[in-house]
Amino acid sequence: MAAEAGDADAAHRLAVLAGMGLGLPQDWPMALARLKQAADLGHATAGRQLEVLSGPAGIDIAGWLTPPAPRPLVEGPAILAIEGFLPEAVCDWLKDRAAVIAGPALVYDPVTGEGRRESVRTNAAARFELDGMDVVLAVVRERIARAAGLPAPGLEWTQVLHYAVGQTFDWHVDWLDPALPGYAADLAARGQRIATCLVFLNDDFEGGETAFEAGGLRHRGRKGDALLWANTRPDGSIDRRTRHAGLPPISGEKWVLSQWLRGRAPTG
């Protein structure tokens, strides 16, 4: 039994690596075949992942990798809405996974490169690094990358954010200020945070809009909708018009996937 469990875990790891293109060429048919193998060997979640990714005709990987077209929300900065970006089953899968590991949300420390607590941010977050990756999340990350037109290896580790009543992420920007020396090494190694994508994982709450200073925008999508914006202008300079905030829910609780995208994979 122990050997079978180890084989199931190994097959699942290979599925994730093949989907993400880490250590071997990206190969989605192989990723799905390995996921099926993991399920057949008794992996704890592989079977459920196959169900979550399946439609009436099975898993349409070409459809998964062809996201819906976005529409602009304001004039000026590139802030876009994408309706129906993820199906409800995937939203529930991500929310349920995050609920188990969510802890206090952190902000980026430019000196240490680590997260730190700040009063500006009172919500919770679950961060999925490689050891927590699954094939569902790998597919979602690829879909986000394709929607943004950016390389999937440039995605930072995905976070799922949780806001209880009154919790907020006050006004802030996602781009890293190149004028601050503490960001120099990170920017040299990984490039700028070119874009941000949020996906609303539920909608049974009141308040909790994502607010932008640009145009006085207050946006709240339905479950499965995405919000995508560019943190930089076409010439690569930072776009200061993207200052935004996660407003607090006034009833219920809000769950949202948060994804920062850079222009390339880390170097060095």
Side-chain angles (χ1 to χ4, degrees), residues 107-151:
V107 299
Y108 183 84
D109 188 323
V111 177
T112 67
E114 303 295 329
R116 70 178 186 222
R117 289 287 283 162
E118 289 284 354
S119 60
V120 70
R121 190 175 195 188
T122 58
N123 66 296
R127 176 181 165 101
F128 293 96
E129 299 191 11
L130 184 57
D131 59 355
M133 193 66 57
D134 61 33
V135 177
V136 173
L137 187 49
V139 169
V140 171
R141 287 167 58 89
E142 183 72 26
R143 189 169 172 86
I144 290 171
R146 295 193 180 211
L150 292 168

Side-chain angles (χ1 to χ4, degrees), residues 83-191:
E83 280 85 16
F85 186 74
L86 291 180
E88 289 196 5
V90 173
C91 294
D92 292 341
W93 174 264
L94 296 170
K95 180 169 70 69
D96 291 346
R97 285 209 62 204
V100 178
I101 62 172
L106 306 176
V107 299
Y108 183 84
D109 188 323
V111 177
T112 67
E114 303 295 329
R116 70 178 186 222
R117 289 287 283 162
E118 289 284 354
S119 60
V120 70
R121 190 175 195 188
T122 58
N123 66 296
R127 176 181 165 101
F128 293 96
E129 299 191 11
L130 184 57
D131 59 355
M133 193 66 57
D134 61 33
V135 177
V136 173
L137 187 49
V139 169
V140 171
R141 287 167 58 89
E142 183 72 26
R143 189 169 172 86
I144 290 171
R146 295 193 180 211
L150 292 168
L155 273 63
E156 296 189 32
W157 295 122
T158 305
Q159 298 185 71
V160 171
L161 311 180
H162 173 250
Y163 294 81
V165 171
Q167 291 184 336
T168 183
F169 191 177
D170 210 347
W171 292 99
H172 64 285
V173 296
D174 289 346
W175 42 264
L176 307 179
D177 192 342
L180 297 179
Y183 288 126
D186 191 353
L187 287 168
R190 309 173 71 184

Side-chain angles (χ1 to χ4, degrees), residues 191-216:
Q192 183 59 266
R193 282 179 180 159
I194 295 175
T196 299
C197 182
L198 300 181
V199 184
F200 297 91
L201 302 182
N202 72 316
D203 54 18
D204 52 344
F205 59 92
E206 297 298 328
E209 298 92 346
T210 302
F212 288 84
E213 289 185 337

Side-chain angles (χ1 to χ4, degrees), residues 24-107:
L24 67 165
Q26 188 180 52
D27 188 330
W28 285 108
M30 177 184 289
L32 296 177
R34 291 296 188 183
L35 184 61
K36 176 64 164 58
Q37 180 185 25
D40 291 342
L41 290 169
H43 185 273
T45 69
R48 180 59 185 145
Q49 290 181 62
L50 289 167
E51 294 175 4
V52 167
L53 291 171
S54 293
I59 299 177
D60 176 12
I61 195 62
W64 276 110
L65 303 183
T66 308
R71 63 177 179 86
L73 292 175
V74 295
E75 293 186 6
I79 304 174
L80 312 169
I82 311 176
E83 280 85 16
F85 186 74
L86 291 180
E88 289 196 5
V90 173
C91 294
D92 292 341
W93 174 264
L94 296 170
K95 180 169 70 69
D96 291 346
R97 285 209 62 204
V100 178
I101 62 172
L106 306 176
V107 299

Side-chain angles (χ1 to χ4, degrees), residues 55-56 67 124 151 220:
R220 207 193 91 168

